[in-house]
Amino acid sequence: MNSGADVAIETIHREMTSFARRARALAGRLHPELSLVSFALLGHLEEGSGCRATDLAEHYALDKSTVSRQVAVLEREGLVERRQDAEDQRVQVLQLTEEGRRMLARVSERRRAAFKERLDGWSQEDLVRFASYLERYNAGPSAGAASPED
Amino acid sequence: MNSGADVAIETIHREMTSFARRARALAGRLHPELSLVSFALLGHLEEGSGCRATDLAEHYALDKSTVSRQVAVLEREGLVERRQDAEDQRVQVLQLTEEGRRMLARVSERRRAAFKERLDGWSQEDLVRFASYLERYNAGPSAGAASPED
DNA sequence: GCCCGTGGTTGTATTCTGCAACCAGAACGT
DNA sequence: ACGTTCTGGTTGCAGAATACAACCACGGGC
């Protein structure tokens, strides 16, 4: 790899980190009602209907106790529901409630608005290309060293 | 804004968020000796030699008290130095120590390796363009080009 | 029926964080 | 010069997120 690419990687590395930092810091401020993790968990539940706490823990590299507590909070707030699995009594299948769906949509909308503002003035071509780069990056070249279980 | 751009924004939103939570989950695991925030702060110090705690706070959307404490830790560990500003006695200019530079290089190297693996196979052109998009995004809300130090 | 693996919860300690109160130096107006 | 306000920074405090370990409940082999 030549040095131009190295510099680019260094930059990508730094900027992505910076972004992560800001996203985390802002998540709590902009949406006090839904932490970044809760948001991610809800989002996960939205996609595939029904999943286990253990799945979430593994997917987000979180301890199962953490997920357990987060889910407990979300349940107490009426955003998710648990359903005992008929097959296996140990398992609790998690699902979004209607309220959870609404909340997710609301927060999602606000976040999207923030992004939109930040991306105002970009040409469509740049937006599309940027999006594709991010997708490509997150998809990972395969095993993805930067993301063991994802 | 047309729908093509909207889709792109949606994607950018999702992918960046995805990245953020993974980075967060990973930070503590990969580099127990340097939290994500500490790493970011050190990195920031490396670029422009000398900056104030307030600058860091603003840049990373952190409370100044948080930065104060983080910096205190980094100082105690001998990674950064404070220097009273001659102009303004209130100001403490922060700088990396040699040890700090070494530590940063070490962790940076490990992180870069992870990124590199993930970015393996990208053309230099794509890397450079991706990097510039990220910089542009992080620089702020399209503040007509050269937005200074944020 | 017993033991072990798996899904989840709870106890405990740590870390990070923000807010508010505070201190010290600078900037400004009178 | 003096007081007021502003700015950079620290500290007290409280809350949230997290990991780790111990634990409970169920399921599956033996």
Side-chain angles (χ1 to χ4, degrees):
Chain A
M1 209 156 309
N2 63 47
S3 91
D6 266 356
V7 169
I9 285 177
E10 186 67 35
T11 300
I12 291 166
H13 166 208
R14 176 161 33 80
E15 297 299 323
M16 290 285 254
T17 302
S18 174
F19 168 80
R21 185 49 245 142
R22 280 166 164 273
R24 175 149 155 52
L26 280 169
R29 268 163 240 239
L30 223 54
H31 323 298
E33 72 275 35
L34 211 55
S35 76
L36 190 59
V37 169
S38 294
F39 179 71
L41 296 184
L42 287 190
H44 197 90
L45 290 179
E46 187 178 45
E47 296 169 27
S49 60
C51 81
R52 305 173 310 162
T54 297
D55 299 334
L56 292 176
E58 180 149 346
H59 189 77
Y60 294 107
L62 289 167
D63 191 83
K64 58 182 181 167
S65 67
T66 301
V67 173
S68 174
R69 277 181 255 261
Q70 290 291 333
V71 168
V73 171
L74 292 176
E75 187 189 26
R76 191 162 57 242
E77 291 169 348
L79 303 179
V80 307
E81 267 176 347
R82 318 185 191 216
R83 192 163 42 72
Q84 289 296 325
D85 187 291
E87 306 277 312
D88 188 336
Q89 288 298 322
R90 293 170 301 179
V91 171
Q92 301 184 351
V93 179
L94 303 172
Q95 272 181 321
L96 279 183
T97 61
E98 266 317 302
E99 173 60 24
R101 221 170 282 279
R102 276 196 299 273
M103 169 67 84
L104 181 60
R106 211 153 50 225
V107 172
S108 225
E109 180 48 46
R110 254 186 293 165
R111 288 179 71 86
R112 195 181 317 125
F115 269 76
K116 206 162 185 166
E117 183 172 349
R118 195 148 188 126
L119 292 168
D120 190 33
W122 288 49
S123 74
Q124 177 170 348
E125 186 192 1
D126 282 342
L127 286 176
V128 170
R129 200 145 54 190
F130 187 30
S132 77
Y133 283 151
L134 283 167
E135 277 182 318
R136 185 173 167 195
Y137 175 84
N138 278 336
S142 58
S147 152
E149 45 245 17
D150 197 336
Chain B
M1 219 177 262
N2 63 45
S3 91
D6 266 354
V7 170
I9 285 177
E10 185 67 34
T11 300
I12 290 167
H13 167 210
R14 177 163 29 82
E15 298 299 321
M16 290 287 256
T17 302
S18 171
F19 170 83
R21 58 149 224 268
R22 271 190 275 186
R24 193 193 165 317
L26 267 166
R29 276 157 229 257
L30 216 57
H31 322 298
E33 73 275 34
L34 210 56
S35 77
L36 189 58
V37 169
S38 294
F39 178 72
L41 297 184
L42 287 189
H44 200 89
L45 290 179
E46 187 179 44
E47 297 169 29
S49 60
C51 82
R52 306 172 309 162
T54 297
D55 299 335
L56 293 177
E58 180 149 348
H59 190 77
Y60 293 105
L62 287 167
D63 191 84
K64 57 183 182 166
S65 66
T66 301
V67 173
S68 173
R69 278 181 257 263
Q70 291 291 334
V71 168
V73 171
L74 292 176
E75 187 188 28
R76 190 160 61 242
E77 288 169 350
L79 303 178
V80 306
E81 266 176 349
R82 318 184 191 216
R83 192 163 40 73
Q84 289 296 324
D85 186 290
E87 306 278 312
D88 188 336
Q89 289 298 323
R90 293 170 303 179
V91 171
Q92 301 184 351
V93 179
L94 303 173
Q95 272 182 321
L96 282 182
T97 61
E98 267 317 302
E99 174 59 23
R101 220 170 282 280
R102 275 196 299 274
M103 169 67 85
L104 181 60
R106 213 153 49 226
V107 172
S108 221
E109 181 46 48
R110 253 184 296 164
R111 288 182 71 86
R112 194 180 321 122
F115 270 77
K116 206 161 186 166
E117 185 169 346
R118 197 152 186 117
L119 293 167
D120 190 35
W122 289 49
S123 73
Q124 177 171 348
E125 186 191 0
D126 282 342
L127 286 175
V128 170
R129 201 145 52 189
F130 187 29
S132 77
Y133 283 150
L134 283 167
E135 278 182 318
R136 184 172 167 195
Y137 176 86
N138 279 335
S142 75
S147 71
E149 291 308 306
D150 188 3

